[in-house]
Amino acid sequence: MAEPGKPIGLQKPPGYRDPNHSLPGPRRPPPPPRKRVLPPSFQPRKKRRSFCRICCCTCCCLILILIFLIVIAVAVFYLWFDPKLPVVHLQSLSFPNFNVSVKSDGTYLNATTLTRVEVRNPNGKLKYYYGDSNVEVTAGKNKDVALGSVKVPGFSQAEKNVTRLKIETKSNEIVDNGEGPRLVSRYRNKELVVNVAVRTSVGVGIQGLKIRPLGVNILCGGVSLKALNQMPKCTFNFLKWINIH
């Protein structure tokens, strides 16, 4: 039984919504996870990397262009001037005096050599400039017998020019007691091996322009006195390990 004075409440049907009750708003999406902030030392530096990459590419391109220009310049130089090395021949080597004497203090070799060297410039557009040269004459396959040395003043050589040098050396060297008679025997039979070494510098002249001289060694001989009639060609030695015949 309902109490007196209290209104009887009606039962609300299913799905009923009270118009006076405000509807709840839409739910907000959860905030995105916050990114972890790295220390400055771990942060990527894109601008610096791109700048370094551009610099490296630019330097590589410049180097390639420079190499290409050098190759073209060398090719043009060779095609235009057709450079050739000097041709040096050992023309002759004689002994105005060759004497072995035995003294109380040892065996002495008293020798005088007269060497003739032919220097030819085969170029038609290049000149050669030779500095002061030190010429040393030795005997034996191992170059162990000194026959004297001399200094030859420098000279210049024009295009298609042939220069002949006359070089004289004197020596009075002590040798082993057993080596003296063997040297005399080889000398008389023209089996004595002779060597001529020239230390000099060679520069190039191109249309009035001189290129800095380069130190070279010119090695001649290494043959017996009999083979000197064939005028053996000398060898150019550069930087102690480059040999050009």
Side-chain angles (χ1 to χ4, degrees), residues 31-39 43-44 46:
R34 190 175 182 182
K35 295 182 179 180
R36 298 178 62 183
V37 180
L38 297 175
Q43 292 180 359
K46 297 182 179 179

Side-chain angles (χ1 to χ4, degrees), residues 75 136 177 181 196 229:
E136 183 179 3
N177 294 332
V196 179
N229 297 329

Side-chain angles (χ1 to χ4, degrees), residues 76-106:
V76 172
F77 176 83
Y78 269 84
L79 290 175
W80 179 256
F81 292 101
D82 190 21
K84 298 181 180 66
L85 285 176
V87 180
V88 182
H89 287 277
L90 180 58
Q91 195 172 18
S92 66
L93 195 154
S94 59
F95 290 87
N97 178 33
F98 192 93
N99 183 34
V100 174
S101 59
V102 179
K103 299 180 181 180
S104 59
D105 56 347

Side-chain angles (χ1 to χ4, degrees), residues 147-201:
L147 298 176
S149 62
V150 67
K151 189 174 182 179
V152 177
F155 63 95
S156 60
Q157 196 172 33
E159 302 87 344
K160 297 293 183 179
N161 179 264
V162 178
T163 303
R164 294 178 175 87
L165 303 176
K166 181 181 178 181
I167 304 167
E168 183 178 357
T169 65
K170 295 182 179 182
S171 68
N172 188 19
E173 300 290 332
I174 188 169
V175 296
D176 296 338
N177 294 332
E179 185 66 20
R182 285 194 293 268
L183 288 173
V184 174
S185 176
R186 292 170 188 166
Y187 167 70
R188 292 175 178 174
N189 297 326
K190 292 188 177 182
E191 296 176 353
L192 185 66
V193 176
V194 291
N195 310 276
V196 179
V198 182
R199 292 194 300 271
T200 185
S201 59

